[in-house]
Amino acid sequence: MTVTESPTTAFEAGPQQRRPTVRMLRDDFDTLYIKEMRAVTVHLMYRGATAYEAADAVHEAFIELLPDRWRTIAHPRAYLRTVAWTKYLRQAHHRESPEDPVPDRPGGTCPVREVILTETQQRILAAVQQLPPAQREVIAWQLDEFEYAEIARFTGKKETALRTNAKRGRERLKVLLDLARTGRSEGGSSDE
C-alpha cells in the first residue's frame, strides 16, 4: 500500500482475486459470513487474540461491511482480516478477559463454539503464538492461503521482509513443533 493509498483502496482497486469463491461470496452475504467468520477468528487467534477477543473483532469487521458495502469490496477475505485485526488492537487494551465462561445468548450461539480446533490445530496455534509478532503475522496470512504479493499489498509491508519473517517463522515452528527431529521417532527407533 502506498502512502497516498487509503486502506480501503488496497481492497477495492486492482485485479480480482484468483480464488473462485470471491464471486460467490459477493453474491451472498450469508455465504461470506459462514465461510469467513471462523477463518478470520482463527487468523486473529494465530496472531495472539483469545477466541472471545477475536470473535468480537471479527463481528465488528463484518458490521463495517453492512448494509451493502460487502458487494463493492474486491478482496473481502483480506479486508475482513485487516479490519478485524485493527478492531482487535483497539479493544485489547480496554477489555478484561472474562474469568467465567460466557453463556450462550438466547437464540444464538457462543462464538467460541464455532472455533473448535483439533488437537493438532491447538498445538500449531500454541506454537504460532510463541513467534515474534512480525513472524506470527505473515504465518497467519499464509495459513489462510495468501501469497506474498497479496500479503504485502494488504498489510503495506515489503515482500522481502515478509519472506524473511516467514522463513524465520517456519524455522522456529519446526523447533517448537519438534519437526526437526532426525533419526528418531516417537518410540525412539531410528526408522524415520
Side-chain angles (χ1 to χ4, degrees):
M1 186 168 26
T2 64
V3 177
T4 59
E5 190 175 30
S6 73
T8 305
T9 307
F11 303 102
E12 293 175 348
Q16 298 293 321
Q17 286 178 315
R18 291 184 306 270
R19 292 177 182 82
T21 58
V22 171
R23 186 168 311 282
M24 178 180 62
L25 293 178
R26 287 193 165 163
D27 292 339
D28 183 5
F29 186 82
D30 291 341
T31 302
L32 173 67
Y33 184 86
I34 290 166
K35 287 190 170 283
E36 292 300 318
M37 176 57 191
R38 180 186 186 281
V40 180
T41 302
V42 172
H43 177 89
L44 293 187
M45 290 169 63
Y46 277 124
R47 294 183 69 184
T50 67
Y52 288 103
E53 292 168 335
D56 284 349
V58 174
H59 277 116
E60 289 179 40
F62 269 102
I63 287 169
E64 287 208 5
L65 292 177
L66 295 173
D68 288 323
R69 186 164 187 213
W70 63 276
R71 293 182 187 276
T72 63
I73 301 293
H75 305 282
R77 295 178 69 241
Y79 177 88
L80 284 167
R81 283 157 180 80
T82 302
V83 171
W85 178 248
T86 302
K87 299 288 185 187
Y88 163 71
L89 291 176
R90 288 185 182 150
Q91 67 167 274
H93 302 293
H94 303 293
R95 296 190 182 173
E96 296 179 15
S97 296
E99 293 178 14
D100 296 325
V102 178
D104 282 345
R105 292 169 293 180
T109 59
C110 176
V112 176
R113 288 194 186 155
E114 298 299 317
V115 187
I116 298 171
L117 302 176
T118 66
E119 188 176 318
T120 300
Q121 289 171 319
Q122 290 173 3
R123 192 168 160 241
I124 293 168
L125 174 64
V128 170
Q129 288 179 337
Q130 292 180 53
L131 298 175
Q135 293 173 16
R136 265 197 324 255
E137 178 181 31
V138 69
I139 295 294
W141 281 92
Q142 286 186 318
L143 288 169
D144 287 340
E145 299 179 359
F146 285 87
E147 297 173 12
Y148 289 114
E150 293 172 307
I151 300 168
R153 180 171 186 206
F154 300 131
T155 64
K157 308 257 169 77
K158 294 190 182 279
E159 206 172 320
T160 54
L162 293 169
R163 288 180 188 279
T164 300
N165 282 314
K167 181 180 177 192
R168 290 178 181 161
R170 283 190 305 270
E171 289 169 0
R172 180 74 181 132
L173 284 174
K174 285 179 185 177
V175 172
L176 290 170
L177 295 170
D178 200 23
L179 299 176
R181 294 179 294 167
T182 55
R184 62 184 173 135
S185 68
E186 294 291 324
S189 66
S190 61
D191 55 358
E192 268 187 275

